Amino acid sequence: MTGEGGGVTAGGAGAGNGAKEAGRAIRVVVADDQSVVREGIVMLLGLLPGVEVVGAARDGEEAVALVAEVAPDVVLMDLRMPRCDGAEATRRIRAEYPGTQVVILTTYADDDSLFPALRAGARGYLTKDAGGDEIVRAIQDVLAGQAGLAPSVQRRLLERMTAPEPAAGPAVLPDGLTGREGEVLGLVAEGLSNPEISRALHISTATVKTHINNIFAKTGARDRAQAVRYAYQHGLTRPPGPAIT
């Protein structure tokens, strides 16, 4: 049947969410704004033993409504969706329906996607190249109170935890620059290209371009050279010293 906002549901609220009952399939809602991807995930899960798809949502709003209606054990949640993105939907679900766990299933594993989702309450995080066995294992892990994380995500978290603390910069950056924009500007001043900045900060090149466009708008710089001069003038980075011969 069709749920609120057009989300497709199967069955009713059942016996509730949370603990798995003996012999009962794990009840899952899939949320993804791309119909081909969403239907593919639903089809894949339908072939796996011990899993029952009880609804599919096209965005975060529908996902929250479906959780209220069918009380699934787990939501497989995409991140970048219209109306309400995956991180916000996760926050609302975990606040309003704590018996439902959330596993992120997304294309993106950069810091700007990963950490907001985990802070919102997601207990699992997989990329869309995950196989069926990996998805089921993550679902089972989060229901058992463990983290269901892809190996690449585990490595990123470990790198983040063991990374040296960044050098202290100005307490407040000028012209409304954010901390991440200050980092990007510093790397631009070091002569790094967009792909090199992407690798250094573990973010996508599209995100790097967005940060640089924001930097240009806030600082009034027309190109990278003017942005570098701005960074030197405001003490955001040091000009290179004379070569030692």
Side-chain angles (χ1 to χ4, degrees), residues 19-241:
K20 291 180 291 181
E21 301 169 359
R24 180 170 73 82
I26 301 170
R27 306 173 73 254
V28 178
V29 161
V30 176
D32 197 297
D33 64 318
Q34 299 182 42
S35 59
V36 173
V37 175
R38 183 175 64 250
E39 292 165 7
I41 296 170
V42 169
M43 184 177 299
L44 172 64
L45 294 178
L47 299 174
L48 301 176
V51 176
E52 177 188 4
V53 178
V54 295
R58 295 171 297 188
D59 56 44
E61 289 288 348
E62 286 189 6
V64 176
L66 275 174
V67 170
E69 181 179 351
V70 303
D73 298 307
V74 176
V75 178
L76 279 181
M77 183 81 73
D78 188 23
L79 281 180
R80 301 189 183 180
M81 298 184 290
R83 293 207 300 166
C84 174
D85 65 24
E88 174 61 17
T90 297
R91 185 194 65 76
R92 289 169 56 184
I93 288 169
R94 295 300 298 143
E96 299 171 26
Y97 311 101
T100 295
Q101 299 293 340
V102 177
V103 174
I104 301 299
L105 185 61
T106 182
T107 304
Y108 309 96
D110 55 85
D111 286 5
D112 289 347
S113 301
L114 171 61
F115 292 104
L118 295 180
R119 284 194 293 267
R123 295 296 300 272
Y125 198 108
L126 301 174
T127 52
K128 288 181 178 175
D129 57 358
D133 290 344
E134 189 175 356
I135 293 173
V136 171
R137 185 163 56 250
I139 290 172
Q140 292 171 338
D141 284 345
V142 299
L143 290 178
Q146 303 170 12
L149 303 174
S152 60
V153 172
Q154 294 182 33
R155 287 194 298 272
R156 181 67 203 110
L157 288 173
L158 182 60
E159 290 170 1
R160 180 69 171 260
M161 292 173 62
T162 58
E165 290 294 326
V172 178
L173 297 181
D175 295 313
L177 291 172
T178 67
R180 178 48 63 96
E181 289 164 356
E183 288 181 283
V184 171
L185 181 53
L187 294 176
V188 168
E190 291 178 19
L192 272 65
S193 66
N194 287 5
E196 289 170 335
I197 295 172
S198 169
R199 289 191 293 271
L201 298 181
H202 301 279
I203 58 179
S204 68
T205 53
T207 300
V208 173
K209 290 178 182 177
T210 298
H211 287 316
I212 290 176
N213 287 337
N214 290 340
I215 290 167
F216 287 175
K218 291 178 180 181
T219 64
R222 292 191 299 273
D223 53 34
R224 293 172 88 96
Q226 289 190 356
V228 170
R229 185 157 57 249
Y230 176 96
Y232 294 157
Q233 291 172 344
H234 290 80
L236 301 180
T237 189
R238 294 182 180 180

